[in-house]
Amino acid sequence: MGVKLVSHFATVEQQKRAAVLGMWAWLLTELLLFAGLFLTALILRLTHPEAVQAAARHLKFWIGATNTVVLIGSSLTMSGAIQLSRLGWQRGMVRFMLATAALGTLFLALKGYEYYADYQEHMMPFLSDRPYALKDSPPSRLFVNLYYVATSLHGLHLMTGITILLAMTWQASRPGFLKQHQNRIEIFGLYWHFIDLIWILAFPILYVLNR
C-alpha cells in the first residue's frame, strides 16, 4: 500500500514518522487534560467519601459498563480496518470503518439517555431552574459537575472522531485510496484508540471506585 509523498519530506518513511510523532504529541497533551480531571475526582473521593458515594449512586452503572463494552468493540473494528488497509482489502476496510462509526454512535446514544435520566432525577446541579437532588452536599455537587465535564469532553472527542471517520470512509470508498492515503487510516486509528483509553480510565474512576 502507498502513501503520497508531500514535497517537504525527503522520503515516505520520514513522512510516516512525522505524522505518527505529531499525533502522539497531540494525544499526550489531551491525556494531561483528562488526567487532571481524573486526579481531582480521586482526591475528592478521598476527602469526601460519603458525599461522593451518594452522588455516584445516581450514576447509571449498567450504561457505563455497556458503553465500555461498546467502545472496546469499536477498537476491535478499527483495528480490523487498519489490518485490512495493510492487506489492500478496501471494501472490507470500509465496512469495518462503518461498523466503528456505528458503535461510536451507539455510545453517544446511550450517553444521551443517561444524561436524560440524570435530568429526570434532578442530578444536574448546573441548572438553576431545576433544584439539585443533593443540594445539602456541596462536595457531591462538585463531583457531579466534574463528572459532566469529563464525560461531555470525552463525548466531544468521540463525536469529532465519528465525523472524521465518516468523512474518511467516504474518501476510502473511492478507487485508488489505499495506493496514496493508507497512512491516514493508521494515524486515525491512534486517535480512536485514545478515545477508548480515556473511557476505560473514566469508567472505573467515576463509576466503580466511588460506589
Side-chain angles (χ1 to χ4, degrees):
M1 293 301 98
V3 176
K4 184 178 181 180
L5 183 64
V6 181
S7 58
H8 54 272
F9 290 106
T11 64
V12 168
E13 287 304 317
Q14 183 189 43
Q15 182 175 327
K16 287 183 177 180
R17 289 196 298 269
V20 171
L21 179 61
M23 177 57 78
W24 273 115
W26 182 71
L27 292 180
L28 286 175
T29 63
E30 294 296 289
L31 183 60
L32 289 174
L33 172 62
F34 281 101
L37 295 172
F38 295 153
L39 181 60
T40 303
L42 290 173
I43 292 174
L44 194 61
R45 171 69 175 84
L46 293 174
T47 55
H48 302 281
E50 293 181 0
V52 171
Q53 286 176 11
R57 278 194 288 270
H58 286 269
L59 301 183
K60 308 301 178 288
F61 181 86
W62 71 270
I63 295 181
T66 302
N67 268 342
T68 302
V69 175
V70 168
L71 276 192
I72 290 175
S74 75
S75 266
L76 293 176
T77 55
M78 190 66 227
S79 295
I82 293 171
Q83 186 60 38
L84 290 176
S85 75
R86 293 170 180 168
L87 296 173
W89 297 357
Q90 190 164 328
R91 182 175 296 181
M93 176 196 71
V94 168
R95 290 175 178 173
F96 271 73
M97 292 168 71
L98 288 174
T100 303
L103 289 171
T105 303
L106 176 59
F107 178 99
L108 291 178
L110 288 170
K111 198 66 194 168
Y113 173 77
E114 185 176 11
Y115 281 170
Y116 175 74
D118 293 336
Y119 175 81
Q120 293 295 103
E121 296 177 8
H122 293 253
M123 286 300 294
M124 291 186 169
F126 48 84
L127 297 180
S128 58
D129 60 339
R130 197 170 182 84
Y132 176 50
L134 304 175
K135 60 182 179 179
D136 297 328
S137 177
S140 76
R141 181 188 297 268
L142 178 58
F143 174 79
V144 172
N145 281 327
L146 188 66
Y147 157 80
Y148 279 114
V149 170
T151 56
S152 61
L153 188 60
H154 174 267
L156 179 62
H157 280 74
L158 180 55
M159 191 179 302
T160 302
I162 293 171
T163 303
I164 296 172
L165 181 58
L166 289 175
M168 193 179 299
T169 303
W170 177 74
Q171 294 176 341
S173 63
R174 297 179 175 182
F177 176 85
L178 289 177
K179 293 181 179 179
Q180 293 187 325
H181 304 299
Q182 188 273 335
N183 198 40
R184 293 181 183 179
I185 308 299
E186 303 264 0
I187 300 302
F188 178 79
L190 293 176
Y191 176 75
W192 193 267
H193 293 321
F194 169 79
I195 295 174
D196 297 348
L197 172 64
I198 292 300
W199 183 256
I200 289 173
L201 294 174
F203 175 65
I205 291 173
L206 297 175
Y207 288 83
V208 179
L209 294 180
N210 296 309
R211 299 180 75 87

